[in-house]
């Protein structure tokens, strides 16, 4: 049993200067919770697992102690002795204090193993008797620490855990370093953490501690968390209700420092009111204390200059002078000397050493001083958006002129592709708009909510809209607010069903307002009910209403939706409807929107095998939505581009794009299920099949939770494909049969929508259901012929070749595969071409009398390598290895009936005759156990027998009845 000996001094949690004792940890702290540290945690784990030592380093509050405690708790179980010390700044002047923490409780256990001189020196140092010093007892004391660690290690592995190495008293640090450098193969591991303040001093700081560590020590740096990781951390600690915009501000202000982020989150949770738009976050006293001590060293004038800098977006000395700070250069130099400002080699911008310094300085300033700073900047700033923001923050109460300027600035921000800024300015405009103005404050709030939707800040948009609905009476404002609530629900539109009757009631008989509601009803029909025909009808009705109400934006959206439904349904009117949606006049924002006509045309191009045009279209759309800051559309277009690259056989590029799309989706909370679905397909093609299965299951779960009938079938198709790539044909069949049922119920007839039919047919052949496979092929082929889906027809031919091969029709199967491969190559479907070449190689390799070898697989290998389709390359290598091993030994007697079996059936039967179990057969043939079972069922049927025993009797030439 491990013996854990700890005499750690009460420590203060990390901070930039000195952190108060009551600020150490929040009540909800869990030492086993390590967020955003997968890579660094894994590196440390790997090092400790092989017996090495680890030095964690990074700035104060970055999470070193959390990682250290988690690792220590894990590796204490495999250590016989655990020694701990944790120093503080206030105790760093006391000699041998850390050494007493480490060895004080084990002195009695090791003293008898030490030579007399070493024992005396160590006892004197640890007890304080005899006034031991390194100068007087240097060598004896150094050797005593080394000998003590060796004595402890003789009984079992030792783990030394030392936090805050920077505060170790110099004597203890020197002794520990002396011993560490000489431990050699002794089973002693050091797990240490040291503070390093910044890139300028970091290398020197941890290099010094590395030199005092064992030679094999691995330095692991902990950097700032990403915004998504900060959001996860805040959620885990009970601050999950914060807006994404607020989380973004927390991330920016904290600099990704988890301790600072948690304190900011706690302050916001305890604050009676959220900060107003454009204002910095409230900084709690606990964090202000970290920087205010240095601010007190500034002159009053320098402090005022820094306040103006903290209020500005991109302060420069020139801007500060224009704002009335005549001695800006000298005063900022003084602040830089105190470490409050950082030198910016890229330009003259005045940059704070940490965002928290700026936030604390602003939070500490009295309100009149803040308004004075903003007033000065409202005339000094050159950018009209920046001037309007400062004017608003310098003004109290309503002011129609200020409100108008803010509304103009919001429009300018919108045009510049900064919808998040536009939303913030719009809220400021509403705050300064008098109640009796036109436009009124509620209209401006709704506009801000719509900008928030564009920026991907659904929670903020929803809250603004619901606030408007509590008091607005104008039908136009109310309907627009209801539309924001529905948009904010995303794929979970079924959760806001109660909104639709209220929105229809508010719309009355106004065709312009009714068009907006019926457009959303079209989405409801599709997503909740999975009814494409009903969705198409609602969209057509919405388009007609919008035309009557002269609402071109809603008309274009409704036409694009109608075109999308018709395309997926295989409706003959789809091209004409796309043309109507693309007709002039156009709304620039709708034209590039992911639910606009450009998106519908992209989908039609992909389904029509026009991959080059599809790629050019979606690339242009992606560039435009990025320019406009349309976050949700960017997520979708990245996914669309990944889909196009995957069809083209560019698996590596598709994987990069799919991962990027999923990362953005998770960060913004937009379309995560769809992102997981596309990432699953990309992983199955060019990444990790195991990861593909995880992502596909996530996509299915999300679609089921959201009640999203549209993406449920797409997610199940991805799951079926991932299972097929992973070698589990039975699981693939179960998933893809559900897809078939769902799409038939939804009225989807175009097989190019999900392209799952070939996978289902192939999986059915592998599970012994060739008749059902042919039914899938024939039904899908009829629709593909009607719609001219060349690539689908080629894939169906590839699947039919497998059916024919299963029937023993080798020549016909080869002809089908050869033709399919040539057509897929001509259409530019690189991965599908490679799969056809692989199937052809398998077919040739299974021909009776064919010598084993890799030659027949060379072309498939070349094509998969060109696609960077790593999982498929692994399958080819496995097949080559199996063939190179040669066919299984022939049974003692082979009845004539065995010759009528397909190649896979003969192999399975021969192995059963040898006495192999189903699991052993699956391992040797690189298939699943379920595939073996299904193959045996076919063998029994073809041979007219009932069991494995009958097969063994056949091998022996015996009777089976």
């Amino acid at each position: 049993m491990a013996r854990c000996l700890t005499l750690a001094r009460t420590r203060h949690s990390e901070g930039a200067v000195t952190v108060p004792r009551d600020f150490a940890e929040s009540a909800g702290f869990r030492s086993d919770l390590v967020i955003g540290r997968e890579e660094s945690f894994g590196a440390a784990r790997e090092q400790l697992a092989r017996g090495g030592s680890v030095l964690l380093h990074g700035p104060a509050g970055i999470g070193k102690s959390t990682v250290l405690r988690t690792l220590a708790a894990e590796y204490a179980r495999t250590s016989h002795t655990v020694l701990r010390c944790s120093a503080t700044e206030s105790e760093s002047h006391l000699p041998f204090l850390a050494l007493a923490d480490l060895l004080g409780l084990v002195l009695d256990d090791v003293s008898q193993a030490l030579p007399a001189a070493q024992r005396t020196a160590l006892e004197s140092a640890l007890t304080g008797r005899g006034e031991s010093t390194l100068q007087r007892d240097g060598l004896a004391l150094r050797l005593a620490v080394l000998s003590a660690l060796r004595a402890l290690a003789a009984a079992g592995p030792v783990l030394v855990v030392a936090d805050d190495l920077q505060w170790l008293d110099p004597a203890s640090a020197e002794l520990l370093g002396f011993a560490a450098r000489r431990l050699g193969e002794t089973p002693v591991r050091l797990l240490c953490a040291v503070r390093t303040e910044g890139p300028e001093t970091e290398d020197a700081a941890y290099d010094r501690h590395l030199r005092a560590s064992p030679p094999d020590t691995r330095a692991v740096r902990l950097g700032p968390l990403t915004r998504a990781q900060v959001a996860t951390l805040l959620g885990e600690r009970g601050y999950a209700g914060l807006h994404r915009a607020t989380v973004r501000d927390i991330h920016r202000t904290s600099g990704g420092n988890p301790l600072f982020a948690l304190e900011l989150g706690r302050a916001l949770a305890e604050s009676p009111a959220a900060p107003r738009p454009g204002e910095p976050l409230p900084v709690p006293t606990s964090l202000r204390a970290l920087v205010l001590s240095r601010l007190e060293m500034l002159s009053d004038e320098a402090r005022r200059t820094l306040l103006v800098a903290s209020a500005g977006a991109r302060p420069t000395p020139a801007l500060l002078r224009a704002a009335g700070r005549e001695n800006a250069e000298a005063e900022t130099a003084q602040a830089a000397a105190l470490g409050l400002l950082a030198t910016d080699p890229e330009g003259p911008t005045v940059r704070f050493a940490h965002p928290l310094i700026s936030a604390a300085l602003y939070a500490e300033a009295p309100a009149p001083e803040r308004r004075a700073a903003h007033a000065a900047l409202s005339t000094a700033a050159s950018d009209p958006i920046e001037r309007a923001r400062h004017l608003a923050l310098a003004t109290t109460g309503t002011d129609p002129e200020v409100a108008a300027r803010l509304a103009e600035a919001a429009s300018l921000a919108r045009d510049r592709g900064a919808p998040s800024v536009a939303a913030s300015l719009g809220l400021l405009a509403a705050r300064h708009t008098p109640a009796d103005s036109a436009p009124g404050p509620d209209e401006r709030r709704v506009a801000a909510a719509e900008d928030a939707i564009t920026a991907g800040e659904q929670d903020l948009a929803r809250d603004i809209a619901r606030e408007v609905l509590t008091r607005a009476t104008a039908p136009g404002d109310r309907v627009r607010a209801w539309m924001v609530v529905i948009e904010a629900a995303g794929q979970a539109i079924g959760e806001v069903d109660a909104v639709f009757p209220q929105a229809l009631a508010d719309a009355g008989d106004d065709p312009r307002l009714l068009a907006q509601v019926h457009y959303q009803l079209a989405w409801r029909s599709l997503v909740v009910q999975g009814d494409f025909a009903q969705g198409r009808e609602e969209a057509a009705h919405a388009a007609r209403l919008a035309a009557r109400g002269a609402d071109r934006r809603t008309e274009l959206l409704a036409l694009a939706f109608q075109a999308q439904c018709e395309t997926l349904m295989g409706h003959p009117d789809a091209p004409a409807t796309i043309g109507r949606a693309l007709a002039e006049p156009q709304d620039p924002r709708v034209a590039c929107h992911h639910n606009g006509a450009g998106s519908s045309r992209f989908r039609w191009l992909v389904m029509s095998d026009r991959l080059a045009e599809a790629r050019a279209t979606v690339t242009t759309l992606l560039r435009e939505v990025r320019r406009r800051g349309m976050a949700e559309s960017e997520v979708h277009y990245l996914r669309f581009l990944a889909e196009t690259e995957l069809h083209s056989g560019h698996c590596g590029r598709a994987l990069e794009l799919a991962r990027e799309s999923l990362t953005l989706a998770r960060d913004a909370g937009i379309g995560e299920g769809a992102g997981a679905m596309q990432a699953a397909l990309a992983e199955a093609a060019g990444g990790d099949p195991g990861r593909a299965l995880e992502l596909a299951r996530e996509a299915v779960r999300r679609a089921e939770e959201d009640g999203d009938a549209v993406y449920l079938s797409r997610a199940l198709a991805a799951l079926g494909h991932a299972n097929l790539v992973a070698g589990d044909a039975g699981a693939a069949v179960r998933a893809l049969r559900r897809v078939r049922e769902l799409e038939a119920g939804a009225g989807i007839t175009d097989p190019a929508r999900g392209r799952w039919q070939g996978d289902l047919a192939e999986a059915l052949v592998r599970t012994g259901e060739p008749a059902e496979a042919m039914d899938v092929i024939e039904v899908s082929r009829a629709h593909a012929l009607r719609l001219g889906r060349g690539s689908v027809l080629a894939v169906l031919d590839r699947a039919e070749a497998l059916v024919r091969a299963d029937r023993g029709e080798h020549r016909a199967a080869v002809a089908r595969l050869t033709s399919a491969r040539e057509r897929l190559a001509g259409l530019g479907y690189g991965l599908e071409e490679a799969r056809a070449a692989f199937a052809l190689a398998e077919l040739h390799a299974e021909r009776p009398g064919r010598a084993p070898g890799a030659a027949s697989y060379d072309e498939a290998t070349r094509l998969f390598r060109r696609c960077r389709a790593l999982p498929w390359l692994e399958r080819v290598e496995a097949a080559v290895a199996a063939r190179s091993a040669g066919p299984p030994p022939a049974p003692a007697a082979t009845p004539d009936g065995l010759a009528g079996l397909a190649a896979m059936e003969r192999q399975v039967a021969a192995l059963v005759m040898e006495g192999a179990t189903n699991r052993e057969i699956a391992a040797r043939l690189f298939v699943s156990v379920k595939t073996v079972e299904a193959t045996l069922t076919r063998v029994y049927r073809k041979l007219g027998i009932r069991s494995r025993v009958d097969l063994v009797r056949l091998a022996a030439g015996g009777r089976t009845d």
Side-chain angles (χ1 to χ4, degrees):
M1 181 177 178
R3 178 175 50 153
C4 186
L5 303 169
T6 307
L7 184 62
R9 302 289 176 184
T10 301
R11 68 181 298 276
H12 298 180
S13 185
E14 299 177 13
V17 186
T18 301
V19 183
R21 189 176 298 271
D22 61 0
F23 177 49
E25 291 171 356
S26 63
F29 173 78
R30 280 171 43 204
S31 62
D32 62 330
L33 185 62
V34 181
I35 293 172
R37 302 298 183 202
E38 291 79 9
E39 185 176 346
S40 51
F41 193 75
R45 225 178 194 171
E46 179 185 338
Q47 177 73 355
L48 290 168
R50 62 170 176 252
S53 296
V54 170
L55 177 65
L56 304 169
H57 65 99
I62 205 67
K64 300 183 298 297
S65 296
T66 299
V67 174
L68 181 136
R69 281 191 291 266
T70 305
L71 289 167
E74 181 174 336
Y75 286 94
R77 294 193 292 270
T78 60
S79 301
H80 185 267
T81 305
V82 179
L83 307 175
R84 301 177 189 265
C85 71
S86 184
T88 66
E89 184 178 11
S90 61
E91 298 165 339
S92 60
H93 66 286
L94 300 174
F96 305 122
L97 186 60
L99 189 65
D101 283 354
L102 289 171
L103 300 177
L105 293 181
V106 296
L107 182 59
D108 292 342
D109 297 339
V110 300
S111 61
Q112 296 307 312
L114 304 181
Q118 294 181 23
R119 181 169 62 249
T120 300
L122 185 59
E123 288 175 347
S124 176
L126 296 184
T127 63
R129 295 190 296 271
E131 297 181 357
S132 176
T133 66
L134 280 176
Q135 286 74 24
R136 191 181 70 189
D137 302 317
L139 182 58
L141 196 49
R142 289 176 173 85
L143 293 174
V145 173
L146 179 60
S147 299
L149 291 173
R150 285 174 173 164
L152 290 170
V158 175
L159 178 65
V160 178
V161 182
D163 201 358
D164 279 327
L165 282 185
Q166 74 277 1
W167 302 135
L168 253 64
D169 61 276
S172 295
E174 205 284 332
L175 291 169
L176 186 60
F178 176 89
R181 292 190 296 272
R182 290 164 176 79
L183 285 169
E185 298 301 318
T186 307
V188 177
R189 292 175 294 183
L190 270 67
L191 174 58
C192 305
V194 62
R195 178 187 301 176
T196 49
E197 289 299 346
E200 294 84 1
T201 59
E202 187 171 69
D203 292 344
Y206 85 80
D207 275 350
R208 175 165 52 86
H209 291 286
L210 265 181
R211 288 194 295 271
S213 303
D216 67 341
T217 298
R218 181 168 185 170
V220 177
R221 182 181 183 275
L222 301 183
L225 301 182
T226 65
R227 185 169 72 175
Q229 290 164 350
V230 165
T232 302
L233 177 64
L234 291 166
E236 291 285 351
R237 299 297 178 85
Y239 308 129
L242 300 171
H243 288 159
R244 293 186 185 278
T246 303
V247 172
R248 179 193 61 210
D249 291 342
I250 289 175
H251 177 254
R252 183 180 63 245
T253 303
S254 68
N257 185 298
L259 182 64
F260 298 168
L262 285 173
E263 282 301 297
L264 290 166
R266 180 174 63 82
L268 282 166
E270 295 174 355
S271 175
R276 289 178 170 179
E279 291 184 349
L281 296 176
V283 179
T285 304
S286 55
L287 291 183
R288 293 188 205 182
L290 300 180
V291 296
L292 290 182
S293 58
R294 279 184 278 175
L295 287 172
E296 289 171 358
M297 301 179 192
L298 289 172
S299 66
D300 290 343
E301 289 301 311
R303 186 163 177 162
R304 290 192 187 96
T305 295
L306 286 197
L307 175 60
V308 175
S310 71
R314 293 173 299 277
T316 63
L319 177 65
L320 294 176
R321 285 195 304 272
R325 309 310 304 166
E326 297 177 357
N327 299 315
E329 282 87 351
E331 289 158 356
T332 54
Q334 181 188 355
L338 292 171
L340 295 166
L341 297 178
T343 304
D344 190 345
E346 301 298 325
T349 304
V350 175
R351 185 166 58 89
F352 285 88
H354 192 283
L356 185 62
I357 298 172
S358 173
L361 175 65
Y362 188 92
E364 188 69 12
E369 290 188 18
R370 292 189 209 173
R371 287 198 294 271
H374 286 297
L377 288 167
S378 69
T379 58
S382 58
D383 185 80
I385 293 176
E386 191 69 7
R387 287 199 303 271
R389 185 181 75 88
H390 287 301
L391 180 62
L393 295 174
T395 305
T396 57
T398 60
D399 186 320
E401 184 178 343
V402 171
R405 285 186 58 183
L406 284 164
E408 291 172 6
S411 178
L412 182 58
R414 197 177 300 123
D415 292 341
R416 287 184 182 179
S420 180
V421 174
S424 176
L425 291 167
L427 287 175
L428 284 171
R431 193 174 94 201
H432 290 287
T433 300
D436 57 353
S437 293
D442 285 333
E443 185 175 346
R444 281 177 169 155
R445 287 189 184 92
V446 172
E450 291 168 346
D451 284 325
I453 285 284
T454 302
E457 296 173 4
Q458 272 78 357
D459 45 4
L460 175 61
R462 185 188 303 111
D463 285 356
I464 297 170
R466 292 201 179 278
E467 180 188 354
V468 169
L469 288 165
T470 60
R471 58 170 177 265
T473 57
D477 292 345
R478 292 187 61 81
V479 170
R480 284 176 67 191
W482 287 126
M483 296 305 99
V484 168
V485 172
I486 295 170
E487 285 280 354
Q491 296 301 118
I493 192 172
E495 295 179 1
V496 293
D497 262 357
V499 164
F500 288 99
Q502 300 176 71
L504 285 169
D506 284 330
D509 57 1
D510 186 331
R512 187 182 184 92
L513 299 180
L514 284 170
Q516 297 177 44
V517 182
H518 280 280
Y519 170 68
Q520 294 296 348
L521 281 169
W523 275 106
R524 185 191 177 281
S525 297
L526 194 64
V527 174
V528 179
Q529 299 171 276
D531 191 335
F532 277 70
Q534 178 64 28
R536 174 179 178 267
E537 290 179 14
E538 285 283 5
H541 183 44
R544 289 191 294 270
L545 286 167
R548 279 173 48 200
D551 180 359
R552 183 59 173 165
R553 179 181 186 278
T554 302
E555 182 185 7
L556 290 169
L557 285 169
L559 286 170
F561 183 93
Q562 181 183 342
Q564 188 93 309
C565 288
E566 291 172 350
T567 299
L568 297 176
M569 292 168 66
H571 196 286
D573 290 348
T577 308
I578 291 174
R580 289 172 61 200
L582 290 169
E584 296 295 338
Q586 282 289 316
D587 182 317
R589 298 186 68 80
V590 173
C592 65
H593 193 275
H594 62 277
N595 288 328
S599 176
S600 297
R601 182 171 183 273
F602 160 79
R603 177 59 52 205
W604 183 80
L605 288 169
V606 167
M607 294 173 69
S608 302
D609 298 327
R610 295 161 68 172
L611 295 182
E613 289 179 72
R615 182 186 294 107
T617 297
V618 74
T619 301
T620 301
L621 290 168
L622 178 60
R623 186 184 307 116
E624 181 63 12
V625 297
R626 279 176 166 166
R627 187 185 72 80
R628 292 179 175 273
M630 299 169 68
E632 185 173 6
S633 293
E634 180 180 0
V635 169
H636 286 287
Y637 286 142
L638 279 169
R639 192 176 77 249
F640 291 174
L641 187 55
E643 177 187 351
T644 309
E645 297 295 358
L646 198 56
H647 287 322
S648 302
H650 305 151
C651 299
R653 176 64 175 151
L655 187 59
E656 292 173 4
L657 290 163
R659 286 173 174 172
E660 183 182 356
S661 176
L662 182 57
T663 298
L664 286 177
R666 294 202 195 288
D667 191 23
I670 298 169
E672 293 180 70
M677 176 271 297
Q678 189 61 50
L681 293 171
E683 291 284 356
D688 178 357
R691 178 65 176 150
L693 285 168
E694 291 175 13
L695 288 165
R697 292 186 186 114
E698 177 193 342
V700 172
R701 174 179 57 77
R702 287 184 180 276
E704 289 175 335
E705 289 174 353
D706 291 342
D708 183 352
V710 174
Y711 268 109
L712 178 57
S713 63
R714 296 291 305 274
L716 285 166
L719 180 59
H721 179 75
N723 274 304
L724 186 63
V725 174
D728 192 343
V733 167
R734 290 192 293 276
L736 295 172
R737 276 176 175 160
R738 284 188 66 192
V739 178
R740 193 182 189 192
E741 293 169 4
L742 287 169
E743 293 205 351
I748 300 172
T749 61
D750 194 331
R753 188 247 181 174
R755 300 176 183 271
W756 48 267
Q757 297 83 0
D759 283 346
L760 176 55
E762 179 177 337
L764 286 166
V765 171
R766 296 189 185 283
T767 55
E769 302 289 344
E772 184 181 347
M774 275 308 301
D775 180 63
V776 171
I777 292 167
E778 289 169 354
V779 171
S780 302
R781 181 178 285 145
H783 291 303
L785 284 168
R786 174 174 61 86
L787 297 167
R789 304 302 190 220
S791 62
V792 174
L793 288 167
V795 168
L796 291 173
D797 279 357
R798 186 184 69 203
E800 184 179 346
L802 300 180
V803 176
R804 290 182 178 274
D806 184 74
R807 294 172 177 169
E809 301 172 15
H810 184 271
R811 183 173 297 176
V814 169
R816 288 269 180 182
L817 280 174
T818 303
S819 171
R821 181 194 160 186
E822 291 172 354
R823 283 179 285 149
L824 289 166
L827 291 169
Y829 285 79
L831 183 58
E832 298 297 346
E833 177 197 358
R835 286 180 63 180
F838 183 31
L840 196 58
E842 292 268 77
L843 198 57
H844 285 314
E846 290 173 359
R847 289 179 62 184
R850 176 87 179 189
S856 61
Y857 291 92
D858 287 348
E859 183 63 4
T861 299
R862 182 186 71 80
L863 291 174
F864 281 132
R865 186 172 290 125
R866 184 183 69 184
C867 294
R868 290 178 60 189
L870 302 183
W872 289 99
L873 278 170
E874 290 173 2
R875 291 189 61 175
V876 173
E877 290 169 3
V880 170
R883 302 295 177 197
S884 299
T894 304
D896 293 339
L898 214 61
L901 300 179
M904 172 65 80
E905 294 166 351
R906 286 197 304 275
Q907 292 180 52
V908 171
L911 290 168
V912 169
M913 291 172 177
E914 290 180 9
T917 66
N918 286 2
R919 188 170 297 280
E920 289 168 343
I921 296 170
R924 288 185 62 175
L925 298 182
F926 300 94
V927 296
S928 70
V929 174
K930 290 184 179 179
T931 299
V932 174
E933 293 169 351
T935 304
L936 275 176
T937 300
R938 296 201 305 276
V939 169
Y940 298 158
R941 184 175 66 247
K942 289 182 177 181
L943 296 182
I945 60 178
R946 294 186 295 273
S947 68
R948 298 170 64 93
V949 174
D950 291 343
L951 263 179
V952 174
R953 285 175 178 165
L954 277 176
R959 295 175 59 84
T960 61
D961 53 3

